[in-house]
Amino acid sequence: MNEKVKIVWNGIIKENPSLRLVLGTCPTLAVTTLAANGLGMGLSATFVLICSGVVVSALRNVIPGKVRLPAYITIIATFVTVLMMLVKAYLPALNSSLGVYLPLIVVNCIILGRAEMFASKNKVLDSALDGLGMGLGFTLTLVLMGSIREILGSGTLFGLNLHLPVEPMIVFITPPGGFFVFGILMAGVIFLEEKTGQRRERKAGCAGCPSAEFCQAKESE
Amino acid sequence: MAAKLGAIFFSMILVNNYVLIKFLGICPFLGVSKRLDSAVGMSLAVTAVMAIATAVTWPLEQLLERFDLVYLQTIAFILVIAVLVQLLELFLRKFIPPLYVSLGVYLPLITTNCAVLGVTILNIDEGYTYLESIVCAVGAGLGFLLAMTLFAVVRSRVEEAQPPKAFEGMPITLVSAAIVALSFTGFGGIVENIFGS
């Protein structure tokens, strides 16, 4: 497979940020009550991932190692601000349904993680492609989560009434439903991994956190 | 006044619990809740940072509004939180070493904890006064503490259980979090009824 295609594909399947790396869990759970919200959140994060990847990669020889984390956060926050202005101006409905989770893209660990693990070590084009792949992987997971929760919880998909023969189960659009669907979805992915014999260890918290290297709170287990 | 503050405080802990209902700060919730002592230490550090960050960002927001720079809110807040966490860490290490040993190790993790940035932004969005914002931040922190502590205990039992192979580890943790969250939805309406707001 072409080297460039491989980078994009890596983010979608091999290192899917939500389901395999367990990063960016907060938006995955919070905004997926509707498939359309998941799509909006995913594409917003993709925009920030690509832009911040390009800038971090272009500045990788300029930013001193010691202050790289604050520098990355500032770059990411800049693009999130640009994104917020665009969404507020052109998609006001999305702005109100994503609410506080839009500015919170700043602290989404997928973006900081990719800046630290990929963009700071690779060329500009590769970093943009990595951002695209990771963003699409994140978007796919969010749309999948959103679709499941919307179909089961309100009987619609992207706002279209599906006329299901059963009553919608409201619990799926409540917060507990979010945890539940995500758990089941991840179990499904692990089931497929076991079938193909490539189960990936899920590390949450410190081990999975991109800033673990900077942090002395690493759990000594 | 007191009733309103009480309503904000208790609804942040029970009804609008940051972790279980609003999904802010899920990473530490899933990561650090394995042991009870680290769960409590982490939550206390988060509570302190939330209260201090709110105390600083609320006046900052007034300043930004005055100079018509509200669009800088996100950048300004995240930088203020990052600096505050660093300062707090230095302060604790120098002046209160015992506290540093027990809480300080969790501090660097907190910069990128979305619950802290979340509480500062939500306080502005809700239009709370200075006092209400701080009460809200402390309530959010204690709600975080409650969720972490409860879940750490639940988790110690889950670790010993034998779920189907595909559910081992993360998935069963998420499903048990769903059940803990479900129990919190039962609090809906209670606080409004008690404080009559």
Side-chain angles (χ1 to χ4, degrees), chain A residues 24 27 41 44-45 48-49 52 69-84 100-115 210, chain B residues 71-82 111-115 117-118 121:
Chain A
M41 183 70 200
S44 306
V48 179
L49 264 166
S52 63
L69 207 53
Y72 297 162
I73 291 180
T74 317
I75 292 169
I76 295 167
T78 310
F79 286 112
V80 171
T81 308
V82 172
L83 173 82
M84 281 170 71
V100 74
Y101 297 99
L102 209 50
L104 285 180
I105 295 178
V106 177
V107 283
N108 187 323
C109 24
I110 301 173
I111 297 167
L112 195 61
R114 289 329 278 180
Chain B
Y71 64 91
L72 284 180
Q73 192 196 49
T74 315
I75 300 187
F77 281 20
I78 187 73
L79 290 179
V80 163
I81 292 169
T111 314
T112 49
N113 182 337
C114 44
L117 185 61
I121 294 177

Side-chain angles (χ1 to χ4, degrees), chain A residues 26 29-30 73 77 81 84-85 101 103-104 106-107 112 175-176 179-180 182-183 186-187 190 194 199 204-205 216-217 219, chain B residues 20-26 31 71 74-75 78 89 100 105 108 112 114 118 121 165-168 170-171 174 177-178 181-182:
Chain A
C26 303
L29 293 166
I73 291 180
T81 308
M84 281 170 71
M85 287 172 165
Y101 297 99
L104 285 180
V106 177
V107 283
L112 195 61
F179 279 115
F180 186 74
F182 193 46
M186 196 181 285
I190 294 178
E194 298 234 316
R199 178 163 181 166
Q216 64 268 56
E219 280 174 293
Chain B
L20 294 168
I21 305 297
K22 292 209 164 160
F23 297 125
L24 297 169
I26 298 288
Y71 64 91
T74 315
I75 300 187
I78 187 73
E89 195 189 341
Y100 176 75
V105 289
T112 49
C114 44
I121 294 177
K165 213 156 191 273
F167 275 89
E168 272 171 16
M170 218 50 205
L174 285 165
L182 197 59

